[in-house]
């Protein structure tokens, strides 16, 4: 009889898709028979709160879905609402939006790389413990994170739930003197950002090649952030509004987060998917720093996500410098908007991956129906797939602690959300 | 734009440490929330590292340490209570903590998700609308503030709270100083900063006259109306402001919505919202 043991891994306090989560797996003869990542998100009903709200209220509501990436939610919603109202924002507005979005990428990626992921790769329980031994690495992370927050504040007054965006543009254009100060900070940070790429590529990352489908936006000439078509490495190429015809959200018994599938299959969104599909769109300096690492793309190793994040930090700093160098204030900072009946779609690249919104509005421009597909629900099936494969290739003969640590590292690697990424998995083993 | 800080530096905790051993123990707990308030710590940069050297951060899942059942001197609680498990857990947090501070709109008034409390058929109807298999969803019909479940020693308003608020509370409580929370209305801060009044000059329905100060008057600085993310001020004259909004041309439903937003469950805002539901 083959050895069969039931391994139970529990995450007692999950978040963003927050609440409680657990991982249960049954293994036999070195193979996993059943695996379920359970996520218990206290339902927060955001799509329902949006019904009956006006367009500008929407921006203040959706920000509060996630304190880590409020800008991504505002950007995606504003895009959808403007489409519904038939507004084409001026190039100046699109530039400022990308600039503000760079701030969120910087803030979120710097936080994840240094405070959440690095302790895994350097062998610490958490960043606070790690700071004793590697103060410079932690300080570099905090500097880049602060810089990202400063950039968001320039446009929104604060970095969590910023108040500066409106349908049609911004409430106020940043003050040129403050913009110049942030530009100086960004220039100073460039060596940090460039060094970060080499640093992450030098980490001792596990070798683990897997098959998966990458999905990301693709733009004619930019590295995708604020706009583009939805593409995959299997030939998918869609306009944003065609998303529901190919992607399906479903609800399974063991989780309260909705699962998304592409043609019935799991898929990956996020930094590694973006880089796999768009490395030819990086700016020259970012491409050179990446080439120097020798990383071959597309990569099939999910642990390369940390390198992809570092490349995107570098790219965000470069883009922000470029955009700020040609910054000129504009008065007013928004275009006129007339509310009307309609429907609009938006898709942008949140730090964690593709974010998709759809709004139906009534004749007064009030929300009738809203649908939001966040990156974490899109990655959930992929995370389960990854856990199954990587735990098997890691070896189920390892003891519970080693399995738990490896499982945690796999989940964290997706940066599913800041808090769900840091919680402990509990392993309970029962032999039958 | 930061308001002047008249609080002790973090290094002052060294004196606390010299007097009292062992080091103060701190926990940061999360309930139903967006995680935005915890970022007041995580975005604090160098101050977070200094704090970690001077206190024991025994539970702060986002930053790494996880020990939710450990006894602590001071617990910060983010998020509202919206599941049976959370209602249980907040009791244990209270039992294990000398001081309990609720941080943010979610923890202090239920926050944005308290809007579910007003849905006619409860959250049940919404669960059915969103989830294909509602029987798998565990949720209370309501999202309520922490103080409706256990005793709270200090409430910090804001969506989100900022670093100045949380670090000030931390220092004061650990020194045994009665915490001082500025009870002014947003308008006072706005005038101090000499912004053009968006209500008077632009006719925007600004909530500043009834809103708790603390954000630094951000929205008026951007030329837009405040939407009261810091919750109701002390003794807010909501009735007069609501009438003023009507005078600006808002229909009753739009007046009601101004109070029915981030802090809909706060008593004064809830009462004003109710009044504008069925205007005479
Ligand atoms: S109060 Fe606001 S910022 Fe704080 S957790 Fe709740 S929604 Fe997030
Ligand atoms: S909504 Fe009001 S309280 Fe909140 S940031 Fe704006 S001005 Fe401040």
């Amino acid at each position: 009889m083959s050895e069969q043991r039931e391994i139970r891994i529990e995450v007692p306090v999950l978040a963003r898709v927050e609440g409680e989560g657990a991982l249960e797996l049954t293994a036999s003869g070195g193979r996993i028979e059943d695996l379920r990542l359970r996520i218990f998100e206290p339902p927060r009903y955001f799509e329902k709160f949006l019904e009956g709200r006006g367009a500008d209220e929407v921006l203040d509501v959706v920000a509060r879905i996630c304190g880590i990436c409020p800008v991504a939610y505002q950007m995606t919603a504003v895009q959808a609402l403007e489409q519904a109202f038939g507004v084409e924002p001026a190039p100046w507005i699109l530039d400022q939006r990308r600039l503000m979005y760079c701030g969120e990428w910087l803030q979120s990626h710097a936080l994840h790389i240094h405070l959440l992921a690095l302790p895994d790769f350097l062998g610490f329980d958490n960043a606070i413990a790690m700071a004793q031994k590697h103060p410079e690495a932690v300080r570099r992370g905090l500097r880049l994170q602060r810089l990202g927050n400063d950039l968001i504040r320039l446009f929104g007054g604060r970095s969590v739930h910023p108040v500066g965006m409106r349908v049609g543009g911004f409430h106020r254009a940043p003050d040129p003197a403050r913009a110049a100060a942030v530009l100086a900070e960004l220039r100073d940070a460039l060596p940090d950002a460039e060094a970060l790429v080499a640093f992450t590529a030098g980490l001792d990352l596990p070798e683990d090649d897997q098959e998966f489908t990458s999905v990301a936006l693709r733009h004619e000439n930019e590295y995708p952030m604020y706009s583009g078509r939805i593409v995959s490495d299997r030939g998918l190429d869609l306009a944003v509004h065609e998303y529901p015809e190919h992607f399906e959200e479903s609800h399974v018994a063991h989780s309260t987060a909705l699962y998304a599938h592409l043609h019935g299959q799991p898929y990956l969104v996020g930094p590694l998917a973006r880089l796999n599909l768009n490395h030819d769109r990086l700016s020259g300096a970012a491409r050179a720093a990446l080439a120097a690492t020798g990383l071959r793309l597309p990569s099939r190793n999910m642990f390369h996500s940390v390198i992809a994040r570092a490349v995107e930090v570098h790219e965000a700093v470069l883009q922000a410098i470029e955009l700020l160098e040609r910054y000129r204030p504009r008065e007013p900072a928004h275009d006129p908007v007339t509310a009307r009946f309609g429907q609009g779609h938006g898709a942008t690249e949140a730090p964690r991956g593709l974010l998709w919104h759809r709004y139906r509005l009534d004749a007064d421009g009030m929300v009738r129906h809203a649908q939001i597909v966040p990156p974490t629900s899109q990655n959930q099936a992929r995370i389960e797939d990854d856990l199954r494969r990587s735990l098997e290739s890691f070896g189920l003969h390892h003891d519970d602690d080693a399995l738990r640590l490896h499982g945690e590292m796999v989940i964290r690697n997706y940066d599913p959300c800041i808090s769900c990424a840091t919680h402990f998995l509990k392993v309970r083993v029962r032999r039958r | 734009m930061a308001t002047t800080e008249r609080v002790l530096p973090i290094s002052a905790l060294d004196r606390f440490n010299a007097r009292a051993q062992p080091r103060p123990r701190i926990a940061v707990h999360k309930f139903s929330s967006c995680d935005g308030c915890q970022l007041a710590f995580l975005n604090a940069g160098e101050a977070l590292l200094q704090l970690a050297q001077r206190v024991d951060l025994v539970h702060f899942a986002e930053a790494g340490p996880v020990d939710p059942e450990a006894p602590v001197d001071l617990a910060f609680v983010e998020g509202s209570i919206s599941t049976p498990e959370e209602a249980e857990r907040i009791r244990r947090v209270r039992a294990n903590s000398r001081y309990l501070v609720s941080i943010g709109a979610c923890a202090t008034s239920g926050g944005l998700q308290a809007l579910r409390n007003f849905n006619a058929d409860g959250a049940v109807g919404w669960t059915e609308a969103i989830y294909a298999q509602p029987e798998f969803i565990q949720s209370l019909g309501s999202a309520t503030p922490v103080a409706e479940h256990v005793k709270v020693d200090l409430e910090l308003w804001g969506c989100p709270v900022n670093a100045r608020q949380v670090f000030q509370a931390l220092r004061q409580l650990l020194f045994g100083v009665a915490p001082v929370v500025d009870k002014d209305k947003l308008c006072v801060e706005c005038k101090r900063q000499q912004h053009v009044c968006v209500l008077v000059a632009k006719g925007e329905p600004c909530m500043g006259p009834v809103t708790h100060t603390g954000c630094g008057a951000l929205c008026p600085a951007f030329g837009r109306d405040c939407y009261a993310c810091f919750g109701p001020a002390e003794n807010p004259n909501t009735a007069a402001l609501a009438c003023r909004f009507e005078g600006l041309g808002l229909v009753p439903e739009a007046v009601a919505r101004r109070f029915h937003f981030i802090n809909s469950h706060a008593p004064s805002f809830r009462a004003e919202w109710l009044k504008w539901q069925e205007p005479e």
Side-chain angles (χ1 to χ4, degrees):
Chain A
M1 243 182 82
S2 64
E3 184 208 15
Q4 184 167 30
R5 55 174 196 162
E6 198 175 281
I7 305 167
R8 235 181 116 80
I9 303 181
E10 269 182 24
V11 194
V13 210
L14 259 192
R16 157 51 206 131
V17 175
E18 61 249 358
E20 275 188 41
L23 179 67
E24 295 179 357
L25 56 98
T26 315
S28 148
R31 302 206 46 92
I32 291 172
E33 286 185 343
D34 189 37
L35 181 144
R36 290 155 179 226
L37 176 66
R38 300 160 58 100
I39 293 184
F40 308 107
E41 166 200 8
R44 290 196 291 143
Y45 307 103
F46 270 86
E47 287 152 328
K48 286 288 162 191
F49 301 158
L50 288 165
E51 292 174 9
R53 297 277 168 186
D56 279 318
E57 285 174 294
V58 171
L59 301 188
D60 295 323
V61 173
V62 296
R64 286 164 172 87
I65 293 175
C66 176
I68 326 294
C69 50
V71 174
Y73 280 90
Q74 292 188 331
M75 292 286 171
T76 317
V78 85
Q79 199 179 86
L81 294 165
E82 285 170 357
Q83 192 188 74
F85 293 154
V87 175
E88 291 234 9
W92 184 90
I93 289 164
L94 296 177
D95 278 356
Q96 308 322 316
R97 287 195 181 147
R98 265 174 54 220
L99 188 47
M100 185 180 183
Y101 216 154
C102 284
E104 185 157 282
W105 276 33
L106 263 179
Q107 169 267 123
S108 172
H109 279 354
L111 180 64
H112 186 263
I113 295 172
H114 295 89
L115 299 187
L116 308 183
L118 211 48
D120 275 341
F121 301 128
L122 297 182
F124 291 87
D125 270 354
N126 58 64
I128 292 167
M130 187 176 75
Q132 316 277 326
K133 276 271 166 55
H134 300 275
E136 261 327 297
V138 173
R139 290 214 160 82
R140 176 185 58 208
L142 293 172
R143 277 197 303 273
L144 288 166
Q145 188 190 346
R146 194 197 62 210
L147 183 52
N149 286 328
D150 286 349
L151 200 45
I152 301 173
R153 243 177 253 131
L154 196 57
F155 290 93
R158 60 185 175 194
S159 63
V160 180
H161 311 334
V163 301
M165 281 189 58
R166 60 180 286 169
V167 180
F170 292 88
H171 285 285
R172 188 190 75 185
D175 166 52
R178 292 194 52 213
V182 176
L183 175 59
E185 276 185 71
L186 281 160
R187 286 197 179 119
D188 288 347
L190 200 50
D192 266 355
E194 198 176 321
L196 185 60
V197 176
F199 172 83
T200 53
L203 290 170
D204 186 15
L205 301 172
E207 279 301 327
D208 186 13
D209 274 9
Q210 307 186 2
E211 273 308 309
F212 55 81
T213 305
S214 295
V215 172
L217 291 183
R218 185 156 173 87
H219 186 275
E220 285 151 53
N221 40 45
E222 293 161 6
Y223 192 79
M225 179 180 278
Y226 180 73
S227 57
R229 290 175 65 81
I230 299 169
V231 304
S232 83
D233 49 9
R234 309 261 158 117
L236 189 80
D237 184 2
L238 307 174
V240 169
H241 71 267
E242 295 172 303
Y243 179 90
E245 294 158 30
H246 299 264
F247 294 82
E248 191 190 46
E249 271 195 299
S250 59
H251 179 209
V252 294
H254 66 263
S255 178
T256 66
L258 297 171
Y259 273 60
H261 284 97
L262 165 60
H263 302 146
Q265 296 299 314
Y267 61 100
L268 176 74
V269 298
L272 189 60
R274 278 194 295 259
L275 191 66
N276 276 344
L277 289 161
N278 291 288
H279 52 93
D280 59 335
R281 294 286 190 266
L282 290 167
S283 28
R287 218 176 316 154
L290 171 62
T293 67
L295 180 74
R296 298 249 309 270
L297 291 169
S299 162
R300 297 277 142 224
N301 183 351
M302 271 310 302
F303 288 108
H304 288 158
S305 297
V306 65
I307 308 175
R309 254 174 223 116
V311 171
E312 291 188 342
V313 164
H314 190 200
E315 177 69 21
V317 172
L318 290 163
Q319 277 197 33
I321 290 176
E322 204 243 31
L323 287 161
L324 270 172
E325 275 173 346
R326 53 188 166 88
Y327 173 72
R328 298 280 175 284
R330 199 189 98 155
E331 184 62 47
H334 56 87
D335 291 335
V337 176
T338 315
R340 65 172 201 200
F341 172 85
Q343 167 165 293
H345 304 85
T348 72
E349 287 287 349
R352 285 155 198 79
L354 184 67
L355 173 58
W356 189 87
H357 289 209
R358 177 176 64 195
Y359 299 90
R360 297 204 175 106
L361 309 169
D362 68 16
D364 300 322
M366 310 295 260
V367 177
R368 273 259 177 79
H369 183 265
Q371 193 189 349
I372 294 171
V373 186
T376 300
S377 70
Q378 302 187 69
N379 270 341
Q380 205 178 333
R382 169 86 269 272
I383 300 175
E384 279 192 359
D385 228 29
D386 186 350
L387 278 166
R388 191 176 294 119
R389 286 168 210 232
S390 48
L391 286 173
E392 271 183 15
S393 81
F394 177 66
L396 295 171
H397 58 276
H398 282 97
D399 65 22
D400 300 358
D401 242 15
L403 285 176
R404 172 181 63 80
L405 282 173
H406 199 79
E408 271 188 76
M409 185 159 82
V410 168
I411 295 174
R412 253 197 287 276
N413 194 35
Y414 289 81
D415 190 10
C417 170
I418 184 166
S419 350
C420 44
T422 49
H423 297 212
F424 279 70
L425 292 169
K426 261 190 216 150
V427 187
R428 242 185 282 139
V429 180
R430 266 180 268 134
R431 287 161 203 282
R432 303 198 273 223
Chain B
M1 76 180 55
T3 46
T4 37
E5 207 160 321
R6 279 165 297 131
V7 288
L8 295 161
I10 292 171
S11 57
L13 285 175
D14 290 343
R15 268 184 281 141
F16 176 93
N17 288 337
R19 278 183 308 169
Q21 293 293 331
R23 310 197 313 160
R25 293 160 60 85
I26 313 279
V28 180
H29 291 275
K30 175 191 160 58
F31 288 77
S32 292
S33 68
C34 82
D35 292 24
C37 286
Q38 305 184 42
L39 286 173
F41 293 101
L42 281 180
N43 278 338
E46 198 59 35
L48 176 68
L49 294 184
Q50 288 180 20
L51 181 69
Q53 281 168 10
R54 290 177 164 98
V55 304
D56 282 337
L57 282 169
V58 293
H59 174 76
F60 186 179
E62 287 203 10
V66 175
D67 192 357
E69 305 290 336
V72 294
D73 296 295
L74 176 49
F76 289 97
V77 175
E78 171 194 275
S80 58
I81 309 302
S82 75
T83 67
E85 181 272 341
E86 289 182 339
E88 241 331 286
R89 183 153 55 92
I90 192 64
R91 293 212 169 79
R92 296 203 300 278
V93 170
R94 175 70 267 187
N96 285 329
S97 314
R98 206 167 120 221
Y99 298 119
L100 190 157
V101 179
S102 66
I103 54 170
C106 293
T108 307
S109 80
L112 192 61
Q113 63 249 15
L115 286 173
R116 75 157 77 160
N117 304 355
F118 304 87
N119 189 30
D121 41 338
V124 179
W126 285 356
T127 306
E128 280 167 5
I130 296 177
Y131 297 96
Q133 292 168 289
E135 62 275 22
F136 302 130
I137 304 294
Q138 278 257 323
S139 174
L140 296 172
S142 58
T144 43
V146 173
E148 284 188 19
H149 297 261
V150 298
K151 176 170 163 267
V152 171
D153 299 298
L154 177 64
E155 294 185 327
L156 298 181
W157 290 89
C159 181
V161 291
N162 55 43
R164 192 175 48 83
Q165 291 170 283
V166 294
F167 280 95
Q168 178 171 334
L170 195 140
R171 293 178 191 102
Q172 290 175 330
L173 285 170
L174 291 182
F175 278 105
V177 177
V180 188
V181 174
D182 193 348
K183 295 252 168 73
D184 275 352
K185 298 183 171 68
L186 185 86
C187 283
V188 178
E189 195 166 350
C190 181
K191 294 296 88 79
R192 228 184 266 131
Q193 295 190 27
Q194 304 183 347
H195 298 307
V196 175
C197 178
V198 291
L199 183 73
V200 173
K202 295 173 85 182
E204 302 280 352
C206 184
M207 292 286 280
V210 296
T211 298
H212 198 287
T213 188
C215 71
L218 286 181
C219 292
F222 275 75
R224 68 173 286 196
D225 47 323
C226 165
Y227 55 96
C229 79
F230 267 61
E234 224 175 23
N235 306 318
N237 192 346
T238 53
L241 188 65
C243 287
R244 182 74 202 269
F245 287 171
E246 201 183 28
L248 292 174
L250 269 66
V251 296
E253 197 202 318
V255 174
R257 278 213 317 277
R258 296 301 285 162
F259 296 92
H260 195 57
F261 204 37
I262 313 285
N263 291 285
S264 62
H265 192 82
S268 55
F269 284 5
R270 190 170 39 186
E272 201 56 42
W273 170 75
L274 260 175
K275 273 197 338 218
W276 289 82
Q277 283 303 288
E278 284 160 51
E280 309 89 80

